[in-house]
Amino acid sequence: MNAARSTAFQSRRFLAQVVGSNKGQDQPKASSYKVVVVGGGAGGLSVASTLSETLGNNAVAVIDPSDVHYYQPLWTFVGAGLKTFDESKMPMSEVMPEKAQWIKNSVASFSPNKNTVTLANGDSISYDYLVVAAGIQVNWGKIKNLPQTLGKNGVTSNYAADSVEKTNEFVKAFKGGNALFTMPSTPIKCAGAPQKAMYLAEEQWRKAGIRDKTNINYFTGLGKIFAIDKYGNELLKICKARNLNINYFTDLTEIKPDTKEAVFNIIGGDKKGSQLTLPYDFLHVVPPMSSPDFIKSSELANADGWVDVNKDTLRHNKFSNVYSLGDCSSLPTSKTAAAITAQSAVLKHNLLNDINGEGKEPSKYDGYTSCPLITGSETLILAEFSGYTGKPQETFPFDQSKESYLTYLLTKELIPEIYWKSMIKGTWDGPAKYRKLFGSA
Ligand code: UQ1
């Protein structure tokens, strides 16, 4: 965070303490709302901002236990020392929509037949409409010894607030040897991030003159480097040119900190069913992820645990006054903040249509998602596509599968501004209209 922003951050927090905020846990809460939004992340805030502006004071509640809201797409840059951690965070009280009530608690269970949610403190909150935007659960404990080794002796992850800065620290301290980067076989948020960490570390080691003393291996649980071949083919060329070895169908299961070894299960190909143990000097881990436990165990979940919504309308398949978007939803596209820009516009249109009873044509989500694949400290491949059709949906009138400095700058400098100033305030519906403007659709 730059000095001016940091000072603004602190003085706003100070002001909130002195004059008292109309948000937060010290306010008496109603127990009934027109709309209850579960989750104060990218999806929850984009929806709650517009709905609370439209429906007025205290019609909308946002349930979230977190003190801090993170712009997680910045964490790849933070892990490479290209942005500071402070730039990725804001106090939740600062980003909560002015006219919404913040219920600073977690959800213990849902009772969609009664239109209520029960909080961890036992309180029951009732709603006319429910929006579930609870994000994805990172299952750190599913990799043996990961919780106690993370952030120590070369083991790091860009997926945790308390280890992301360690990535940069360990990359800088690395003196050569075996560097391993992992990606699990489960769905994850930002499926490109595991390999972005590798491209940025490799560049740093090359610049430090230790590249010839370094073996770099990428282990993915999947059978492809990227779901969409247009981008995957370019990434394969980059891996080849930069001598990055890709190992498919390999799932990290255990870290042995004493011997500095990583253990992988081989889950496909010729050696399916066997294990592989490799020594590491640097290990960037992306753990398996799943739907949050409190959703998995609820009536809202499909067989895989995700909130079971219609892929076009985002409305729940069984409970018609329930919607979901983002990482915890069953929407069959890749889980990114960019996807949420398009999803939130559809959800708001359809939900306000229900509330106003105007009988407008429902809006339909087309599966738009995007992955800004950072390939170096000046280059990026901006993948934009529909997860439903697999077809590219690029915004700009040039081939976005080629590495570009323009899309690098866009992702590093402009998109975070769009996020803080517009997306979480409910006024950014994604780049679809620019796609039409540039004639690239
Ligand atoms: C986007 O709108 C967005 O949300 C603000 C992101 O989230 C981090 C993105 O990564 C991307 C790529 C977009 C798309 C925006 C443009 C201008 C292509």
Side-chain angles (χ1 to χ4, degrees):
M1 188 178 295
N2 61 36
R5 178 115 177 255
S6 173
T7 312
F9 178 102
Q10 279 157 13
S11 63
R12 265 175 299 175
R13 186 154 53 181
F14 174 71
L15 208 65
Q17 278 163 2
V18 173
V19 300
S21 168
N22 70 334
K23 307 159 204 157
Q25 77 263 52
D26 40 9
Q27 285 293 305
K29 293 292 178 311
S31 59
S32 178
Y33 296 88
K34 189 87 187 158
V35 183
V36 165
V37 177
V38 177
L45 293 186
S46 329
V47 169
S49 292
T50 306
L51 293 181
S52 59
E53 278 304 316
T54 311
L55 302 172
N57 272 329
N58 301 329
V60 177
V62 179
I63 306 177
D64 197 306
S66 322
D67 289 310
V68 181
H69 173 105
Y70 293 109
Y71 175 62
Q72 290 180 42
L74 213 68
W75 286 1
T76 294
F77 290 109
V78 176
L82 296 165
K83 285 278 181 187
T84 65
F85 180 64
D86 278 353
E87 285 173 282
S88 74
K89 65 186 227 203
M90 284 291 273
M92 189 64 90
S93 57
E94 293 300 316
V95 292
M96 201 45 69
E98 211 50 54
K99 292 182 183 161
Q101 272 288 344
W102 176 22
I103 299 175
K104 191 176 182 306
N105 214 305
S106 31
V107 170
S109 62
F110 295 95
S111 302
N113 284 309
K114 292 197 242 157
N115 298 328
T116 61
V117 298
T118 304
L119 305 178
N121 66 3
D123 287 358
S124 179
I125 309 287
S126 66
Y127 57 79
D128 292 348
Y129 297 92
L130 177 70
V131 177
V132 187
I136 197 165
Q137 178 173 298
V138 183
N139 296 317
W140 301 95
K142 286 248 161 106
I143 295 180
K144 195 172 169 197
N145 296 326
L146 177 59
Q148 59 272 40
T149 45
L150 188 68
K152 296 187 196 112
N153 298 321
V155 180
T156 186
S157 179
N158 284 348
Y159 276 81
D162 47 9
S163 66
V164 57
E165 291 173 292
K166 294 279 178 183
T167 303
N168 186 40
E169 200 182 295
F170 294 163
V171 166
K172 293 221 158 41
F174 187 72
K175 298 277 180 283
N178 287 325
L180 317 183
F181 295 81
T182 78
M183 159 146 181
S185 57
T186 64
I188 62 170
K189 49 183 161 186
C190 193
Q195 60 186 287
K196 298 179 204 175
M198 170 172 67
Y199 299 131
L200 287 161
E202 191 273 340
E203 183 188 50
Q204 290 208 50
W205 294 329
R206 203 169 357 113
K207 286 183 175 167
I210 56 168
R211 184 63 184 90
D212 55 352
K213 294 192 283 182
T214 305
N215 297 314
I216 304 181
N217 271 284
Y218 184 65
F219 292 89
T220 169
L222 308 179
K224 276 185 161 194
I225 188 142
F226 198 77
I228 310 300
D229 288 341
K230 173 171 185 186
Y231 309 106
N233 291 338
E234 294 302 318
L235 295 165
L236 287 176
K237 283 188 212 161
I238 290 172
C239 288
K240 198 163 177 217
R242 292 168 65 175
N243 197 17
L244 306 165
N245 306 310
I246 309 164
N247 305 270
Y248 297 106
F249 298 120
T250 45
D251 238 347
L252 179 69
T253 56
E254 180 179 354
I255 296 168
K256 294 184 170 169
D258 297 340
T259 51
K260 290 188 96 176
E261 287 175 307
V263 184
F264 296 88
N265 276 348
I266 301 184
I267 59 169
D270 301 346
K271 296 192 182 136
K272 187 175 171 181
S274 58
Q275 280 200 331
L276 180 69
T277 301
L278 286 170
Y280 66 81
D281 299 288
F282 175 97
L283 173 61
H284 181 269
V285 182
V286 181
M289 302 184 199
S290 67
S291 177
D293 290 336
F294 71 97
I295 291 178
K296 260 192 256 172
S297 61
S298 78
E299 291 172 84
L300 300 177
N302 70 8
D304 295 326
W306 310 106
V307 182
D308 186 17
V309 290
N310 180 285
K311 77 188 228 307
D312 302 321
T313 62
L314 280 58
R315 184 201 295 277
H316 198 275
N317 283 322
K318 294 191 203 86
F319 304 101
S320 63
N321 60 339
V322 177
Y323 284 86
S324 178
L325 79 168
D327 298 350
C328 70
S329 74
S330 64
L331 297 168
T333 189
S334 63
K335 299 178 183 299
T336 67
I340 290 171
T341 65
Q343 293 168 9
S344 61
V346 171
L347 192 155
K348 290 186 286 194
H349 174 96
N350 293 343
L351 178 50
L352 284 169
N353 200 16
D354 291 352
I355 293 174
N356 298 333
E358 286 171 354
K360 285 186 194 154
E361 190 67 24
S363 184
K364 286 187 175 178
Y365 175 49
D366 59 4
Y368 172 81
T369 188
S370 169
C371 182
L373 290 143
I374 308 158
T375 55
S377 64
E378 292 186 336
T379 49
L380 186 143
I381 289 174
L382 184 58
E384 286 185 287
F385 56 95
S386 163
Y388 292 177
T389 63
K391 293 210 177 92
Q393 286 184 314
E394 299 185 347
T395 301
F396 301 104
F398 55 81
D399 180 357
Q400 291 179 202
S401 72
K402 301 289 182 246
E403 289 179 291
S404 148
Y405 181 57
L406 189 75
T407 56
Y408 174 83
L409 276 185
L410 177 90
T411 302
K412 183 162 171 267
E413 309 299 345
L414 191 62
I415 292 179
E417 289 298 307
I418 295 175
Y419 181 82
W420 293 116
K421 299 208 171 110
S422 181
M423 180 172 167
I424 58 171
K425 310 231 183 274
T427 59
W428 172 249
D429 290 350
K433 55 175 171 285
Y434 298 96
R435 198 156 68 226
K436 292 193 184 101
L437 192 72
F438 292 139
S440 23

